Amino acid sequence: MYISRATKFRPKPPASSTTRKCLEESKKLAAEFCDNTSIHGVKYFVGSNRALIEKVWWIAVFLLSLYGCGRLIQTVYIKWDREPVIVTFAQKPTPVFQIPFPAVTICPETKVKASNLNFTKTYYYSRYPLLRKQLTDDQINKLLAMLQVCEFAFSDQFENQTYDDDCVYLLKEMAIPQDEIFVICSWRTSYENCTTKFRLTLTDVGFCYTFNSIAGDDLMRQDQLHDDFEYIAETSSSNWTLHEGYAAGTDIDTYPRRVLGAGIKAGVSALIKANESDLDYLCGNSFQGFKVLLHMPNEYPQLLNQHFRVPLNQEVAVSVTPRMIITSENIQSYKPHRRQCFFNDERYLKFFKDYTQSNCELECLANFTLRRCGCVKFSMPRSPNVRICGVSMEKCYDLATVELLEMEVKYRENPRLKNLDDCNCLPSCTSVQYNTEISQASFEWKRLLPVVKTFGDSLKGVQVSYLIVFFKDAQFIPVKRSELFGLTDFLANCGGLLGLFMGVSILSLVEIFYYCFIKPMVMWCKASKPEPIKQVQVKTVSGVSEPISIWRYEGKM
């Protein structure tokens, strides 16, 4: 009989025997893990000298500890996921010359010269059909434009004025000329021509004049806007960005302007006037004077809901304290909804180049108003071919403002509600707000005229106010967003809880991995390798007697 030397006898064991063998090996592996692991209490799960009640007791205690530890780790995870950022004061103060001086927007309550349009008389005539016939079409159109910037709602008798595309053109034509508003201006004790400092700006209360705003080309995306008119007449290029500030080595005389210190002599002042013959108490809700808003240079001014007033014949001194919020670099990797702010490159605005919360809210309101009313308010940014709402649509865009606010409130209270018009206007990660302290006193300017004869007859028949804006302190302490609960803190808390409840460490986790994967793989490899059980002498084909092995084959576990 001849047998090839490559021949091996590998009898395949029955399936039931293989399953039984796997179960036995698994029990041995589990017992070995329980005896050797560093996790507290597990070694009491096995042992022939322990009663069943003891094993059940330790298993129950282990499961309760595991449950309690898991719930606490869940609490730690929720805190890490929802509140990873803390807002605190910075460790050192910041000098005011590192931030821009606030942009100052001044809006006269008198919107039109009486020689151009007598608003009270024209409105009175428009209410009665017989008198209305005496008004020209030009007077009616100017009246309709004026009604959009007046305090009171006078639009009840103009129900068919859905659109008014000439509104802005007429408001600009009727606006009080700048040289009839500003007498003299000073910046850092230097008296200068007001025309070069205050530039014409379209706002939600009509045409105003703004000091220290960045240029319209730097603020707005001109390719997305219509070309019917410009919103901001400022042309000075900006050497400052919101998130990076002024570059190192930038000259003091830069743009937007900044100051070296605090006090009245380091700020801006303006002597402003109103002609008594132009005063009209109907449109301004009986108030005459000026509305003023302080805002960041890269924010579009909106004065309807936020401003302070400078009455006529009053001196108003505005002491400014900056409130700056900065964001630590170590939380830049967090998603915006976790750190609750946007960097400039994270949130795209269609009409504005710089992201600020105010600009975002204005753009969102403009988009919502367009969907709700089919047109936008005259001061809102708009694309080409978008119509301007007329007087009869005033209630519509006012309701759109209220509806949008209500939707935002409902969405924040219950984020599960679907809100298609969610503006998602989180604060900017770097922002500057200008908190003000206002002092006011009677301005007896007429008593100075006999002594100060500089102005000649230019102050006859006018009422004058004096506005001063300056920083209160030379330094301020910013507010900083920083990491409250990072990944390292989360792991440390989880490790502490696992160690307290169960004695688990990193090596304990390695043990579990070893007994779950590496050890069974080693046992499987050993069981899969055939082992010789005996050798026999056989004669090969060539007639030579050689020993061969008979192998035993262990099936897979």
Side-chain angles (χ1 to χ4, degrees):
M1 175 182 180
Y2 296 97
I3 301 178
S4 170
R5 100 177 36 176
T7 303
K8 298 178 181 178
F9 299 95
R10 298 184 180 178
K12 188 174 182 179
S16 58
S17 175
T18 302
T19 303
R20 191 182 308 110
K21 185 68 174 179
C22 289
L23 291 176
E24 292 176 358
E25 294 295 335
S26 299
K27 291 180 180 179
K28 291 180 181 179
L29 187 61
E32 183 181 350
F33 170 75
C34 293
D35 287 334
N36 298 322
T37 184
S38 59
I39 301 177
H40 294 174
V42 177
K43 65 180 180 179
Y44 301 110
F45 293 176
V46 295
S48 57
N49 57 342
R50 290 188 178 88
L52 179 61
I53 187 63
E54 294 181 87
K55 297 179 181 180
V56 173
W57 161 259
W58 280 108
I59 291 175
V61 170
F62 178 83
L63 293 177
L64 287 175
S65 297
L66 183 63
Y67 174 77
C69 183
R71 290 301 301 268
L72 291 178
I73 288 177
Q74 182 185 21
T75 303
V76 172
Y77 174 77
I78 293 174
K79 181 180 180 181
W80 175 62
D81 182 63
R82 295 182 179 178
E83 302 175 0
V85 176
I86 185 173
V87 179
T88 58
F89 287 104
Q91 297 179 352
K92 59 182 181 179
T94 299
V96 292
F97 66 78
Q98 291 188 2
I99 64 172
F101 194 78
V104 183
T105 299
I106 300 176
C107 300
E109 285 289 349
T110 303
K111 308 296 182 183
V112 59
K113 289 183 66 62
S115 59
N116 196 341
L117 178 72
N118 189 324
F119 176 78
T120 301
K121 179 182 177 180
T122 305
Y123 176 73
Y124 177 77
Y125 277 30
S126 69
R127 291 177 58 86
Y128 302 98
L130 293 178
L131 296 176
R132 189 171 184 177
K133 294 179 180 179
Q134 302 180 23
L135 299 177
T136 64
D137 292 339
D138 182 62
Q139 288 177 318
I140 293 293
N141 292 333
K142 289 181 178 179
L143 175 64
L144 293 175
M146 283 291 297
L147 292 179
Q148 298 210 43
V149 296
C150 291
E151 292 277 341
F152 283 135
F154 300 112
S155 57
D156 293 340
Q157 69 270 26
F158 300 100
E159 298 179 354
N160 299 323
Q161 300 298 324
T162 306
Y163 304 110
D164 192 354
D165 296 324
D166 295 330
C167 170
V168 177
Y169 170 77
L170 293 173
L171 288 176
K172 186 175 182 179
E173 183 183 89
M174 293 186 293
I176 304 294
Q178 187 173 2
D179 58 357
E180 296 187 20
I181 295 178
F182 294 91
V183 179
I184 192 170
C185 304
S186 73
W187 166 245
R188 288 165 44 184
T189 70
S190 176
Y191 288 90
E192 301 180 19
N193 186 356
C194 297
T195 307
T196 62
K197 298 299 181 183
F198 287 85
R199 307 302 295 267
L200 191 66
T201 304
L202 178 64
T203 72
D204 50 1
V205 295
F207 277 97
C208 307
Y209 296 94
T210 303
F211 167 81
N212 205 37
S213 173
I214 66 174
D217 291 340
D218 293 334
L219 176 61
M220 311 187 79
R221 302 183 191 274
Q222 301 296 338
D223 57 331
Q224 299 291 335
L225 292 170
H226 62 88
D227 56 1
D228 297 341
F229 53 83
E230 60 179 0
Y231 291 86
I232 300 175
E234 180 61 67
T235 57
S236 301
S237 59
S238 175
N239 297 318
W240 165 85
T241 61
L242 179 60
H243 294 282
E244 298 179 2
Y246 292 100
T250 304
D251 294 336
I252 295 300
D253 295 326
T254 184
Y255 204 88
R257 299 176 179 92
R258 55 180 177 171
V259 297
L260 296 177
I264 293 178
K265 293 184 178 180
V268 63
S269 64
L271 194 65
I272 46 183
K273 65 180 180 178
N275 293 320
E276 294 178 351
S277 60
D278 295 332
L279 299 183
D280 190 295
Y281 293 90
L282 179 62
C283 182
N285 191 14
S286 76
F287 172 80
Q288 284 300 324
F290 304 89
K291 292 178 180 178
V292 181
L293 174 66
L294 305 186
H295 54 96
M296 283 196 299
N298 65 336
E299 277 187 347
Y300 189 80
Q302 301 178 74
L303 288 88
L304 191 60
N305 297 320
Q306 185 178 8
H307 62 266
F308 63 89
R309 286 177 167 175
V310 178
L312 296 177
N313 300 320
Q314 294 285 313
E315 177 181 340
V316 177
V318 183
S319 175
V320 179
T321 301
R323 182 178 182 270
M324 185 176 184
I325 300 179
I326 57 179
T327 301
S328 178
E329 293 181 357
N330 60 357
I331 66 171
Q332 190 169 358
S333 59
Y334 285 67
K335 292 184 178 180
H337 74 275
R338 297 189 65 192
R339 61 174 124 88
Q340 286 296 297
C341 69
F342 281 119
F343 287 96
N344 196 45
D345 57 348
E346 290 180 323
R347 181 73 164 82
Y348 175 82
L349 297 180
K350 180 180 179 181
F351 298 117
F352 297 97
K353 292 182 179 180
D354 281 354
Y355 175 85
T356 67
Q357 189 173 25
S358 176
N359 291 344
C360 177
E361 290 173 348
L362 175 59
E363 181 171 308
C364 181
L365 178 60
N367 295 333
F368 183 74
T369 303
L370 179 61
R371 290 194 294 269
R372 179 73 168 76
C373 306
C375 56
V376 297
K377 190 176 180 179
F378 69 93
S379 60
M380 293 177 178
R382 60 186 177 90
S383 302
N385 303 322
V386 173
R387 304 291 299 273
I388 295 177
C389 292
V391 176
S392 62
M393 298 298 291
E394 181 178 356
K395 292 183 179 180
C396 181
Y397 59 69
D398 286 343
L399 287 175
T401 303
V402 176
E403 287 180 13
L404 185 61
L405 292 175
E406 291 177 350
M407 293 171 64
E408 286 294 316
V409 171
K410 292 179 181 179
Y411 177 76
R412 294 186 182 279
E413 290 180 349
N414 187 5
R416 296 181 179 179
L417 293 176
K418 189 175 182 181
N419 185 8
L420 297 178
D421 296 292
D422 178 28
C423 294
N424 194 24
C425 291
L426 297 175
S428 177
C429 288
T430 302
S431 62
V432 181
Q433 295 179 344
Y434 300 98
N435 299 329
T436 59
E437 295 180 9
I438 301 175
S439 60
Q440 184 174 323
S442 178
F443 186 37
E444 301 293 340
W445 59 276
K446 292 184 179 181
R447 297 180 180 272
L448 296 176
L449 290 182
V451 180
V452 182
K453 299 182 180 181
T454 305
F455 305 109
D457 297 335
S458 62
L459 297 184
K460 288 185 178 181
V462 301
Q463 296 188 32
V464 181
S465 302
Y466 188 43
L467 174 66
I468 312 170
V469 181
F470 58 92
F471 280 127
K472 181 179 181 180
D473 300 306
Q475 294 180 327
F476 66 96
I477 300 179
V479 176
K480 186 176 183 179
R481 290 187 185 91
S482 54
E483 191 177 52
L484 170 65
F485 204 70
L487 180 60
T488 302
D489 302 303
F490 173 69
L491 293 177
N493 277 273
C494 291
L497 292 171
L498 287 169
L500 176 66
F501 279 83
M502 309 177 69
V504 174
S505 65
I506 294 294
L507 291 179
S508 301
L509 300 179
V510 174
E511 285 180 351
I512 296 175
F513 180 80
Y514 171 76
Y515 280 100
C516 288
F517 298 101
I518 299 179
K519 185 71 173 178
M521 187 179 298
V522 173
M523 296 175 62
W524 180 82
C525 291
K526 288 183 177 180
S528 300
K529 184 178 180 180
E531 299 179 1
I533 56 175
K534 65 179 181 178
Q535 290 184 344
V536 296
Q537 294 290 331
V538 296
K539 187 178 292 185
T540 63
V541 178
S542 59
V544 180
S545 178
E546 293 182 359
I548 67 170
S549 298
I550 298 178
W551 299 80
R552 178 177 59 202
Y553 177 81
E554 297 291 345
K556 294 182 181 179
M557 293 179 58

